[in-house]
Amino acid sequence: MLHNTSASCLLGSHKAQEQQETSMRAKLKTDFGPHSQTRFENRGIRHKCPSRVVVGFGEPVTVSCEAARPVRVLGWESTISASHTQQDLSIQWKVDSLIDWIEEPICYGVFFTAPRQCEEKLNLVLYKTPDRVSIRPVNHTGPMVEGKEYQLLCEVQNVAPVQYLNLRWYRGQSEVYNHSFADLTSSSPVQVSSILVVTPTRAENGAQYRCVAELELGPEGPQPPPTVASEPLNASVYFPPTFLSPEPEVLELTLGAEISLNCTATGNPAPVYSWQSSHLTQERTEDEAVLTFSSLVPGTYICTASNALGKKSKQFIVKAKTKGV
């Protein structure tokens, strides 16, 4: 949606006691639609008043310059829509679709009395939200491994002015890094990037990373600030097997009752299980974390959980229940 931005500036007032030095007053009214208005007033002596207008790329803008006293000529000096008047005390600089990144309009006046000349340069901020924000790993494909260091790259295409850009990195709903570009000064669209260094843990398996580009254009700009977000990057983190209960387990056999050996482990990729014992007729290599027996010979049973990153073993010591207990 296009917003019509309008502003006005008072030019050419002065005080005799200041030895005919120029004193200018600017009253700026910026309209970003029916629900958001910003007004401020500044006074200055011997310098141009800091009128500031923020306009979206391709949007219309209108700025009125008004003379505070009778004037010979009042006009706008500009590469586009330059104009002047010798009759009125106000004149508009109006552009239906602002797309000039180096536009610096100046309102000037030539007066009948001293100071005879006065001018004010409009602080014009033309902004453009990014065409695209994307995120990807640097020099890596596939899952990440727990404990290793990786870099994630966020790329922002065609944003301006870059000095007002903040890149916010998120893991899930938590902000983990904020990158500002305040040291850059380009007024036309540029491409910039930011790198996030991560050392993932197993707790971050399945977490989503995203990058949000935010243009913080000040109180004269749109509120809330315009943002463009990347698509989320889903993190897959590989880690070796870990048992929920790693210590050896001692179990008692009860005649006629089933007995279960639970060797459940967590790991990514999912662990594969194997069982060993001198009492098993052969090694069990099925992907079974829990073995249930209706009858079992007392002894030691060893379960091994393994995946591509390692393996862990656990002992089960099965004892016959003592009579009379």
Side-chain angles (χ1 to χ4, degrees), residues 139-158:
N139 299 325
H140 177 75
T141 58
M144 296 184 285
V145 176
E146 181 182 43
K148 288 190 175 182
E149 187 176 279
Y150 298 89
Q151 292 183 344
L152 303 181
L153 176 68
C154 177
E155 295 178 300
V156 182
Q157 296 180 358
N158 293 331

Side-chain angles (χ1 to χ4, degrees), residues 91-291:
I91 188 169
Q92 285 188 340
W93 179 72
K94 184 177 182 180
V95 181
D96 293 331
S97 177
L98 187 60
I99 58 174
D100 189 344
W101 295 104
I102 60 173
E103 182 58 38
E104 296 181 333
I106 297 174
C107 178
Y108 65 90
V110 180
F111 298 92
F112 292 99
T113 58
R116 295 184 180 277
Q117 293 186 350
C118 184
E119 69 176 31
E120 179 187 343
K121 182 178 178 179
L122 180 66
N123 183 0
L124 180 64
V125 178
L126 179 60
Y127 75 90
K128 180 185 178 301
T129 56
D131 290 340
R132 185 170 181 262
V133 179
S134 60
I135 181 175
R136 61 180 176 85
V138 178
N139 299 325
H140 177 75
T141 58
M144 296 184 285
V145 176
E146 181 182 43
K148 288 190 175 182
E149 187 176 279
Y150 298 89
Q151 292 183 344
L152 303 181
L153 176 68
C154 177
E155 295 178 300
V156 182
Q157 296 180 358
N158 293 331
V159 63
V162 68
Q163 57 266 37
Y164 297 108
L165 175 66
N166 267 337
L167 281 184
R168 302 183 185 275
W169 284 89
Y170 290 87
R171 182 175 60 239
Q173 299 302 314
S174 300
E175 183 176 332
V176 294
Y177 182 53
N178 187 331
H179 189 164
S180 170
F181 295 86
D183 56 331
L184 302 180
T185 57
S186 176
S187 60
S188 56
V190 296
Q191 178 170 320
V192 293
S193 62
S194 174
I195 287 181
L196 178 69
V197 178
V198 298
T199 305
T201 66
R202 64 188 63 196
E204 294 162 14
N205 182 42
Q208 288 190 333
Y209 288 88
R210 57 193 174 92
C211 181
V212 178
E214 180 178 88
L215 278 174
E216 297 180 350
L217 297 160
E220 304 84 13
Q223 301 297 329
T227 60
V228 178
S230 70
E231 292 293 326
L233 175 68
N234 295 313
S236 178
V237 182
Y238 276 7
F239 54 94
T242 301
F243 291 111
L244 303 179
S245 301
E247 63 279 357
E249 290 188 30
V250 179
L251 302 94
E252 286 191 338
L253 283 172
T254 300
L255 186 63
E258 287 188 341
I259 186 171
S260 294
L261 309 182
N262 189 344
C263 184
T264 301
T266 59
N268 191 25
V272 174
Y273 299 92
S274 63
W275 292 84
Q276 292 177 308
S277 174
S278 59
H279 303 292
L280 293 175
T281 55
Q282 60 181 6
E283 181 178 338
R284 302 280 293 271
T285 58
E286 300 91 343
D287 190 7
E288 298 179 70
V290 180
L291 292 184

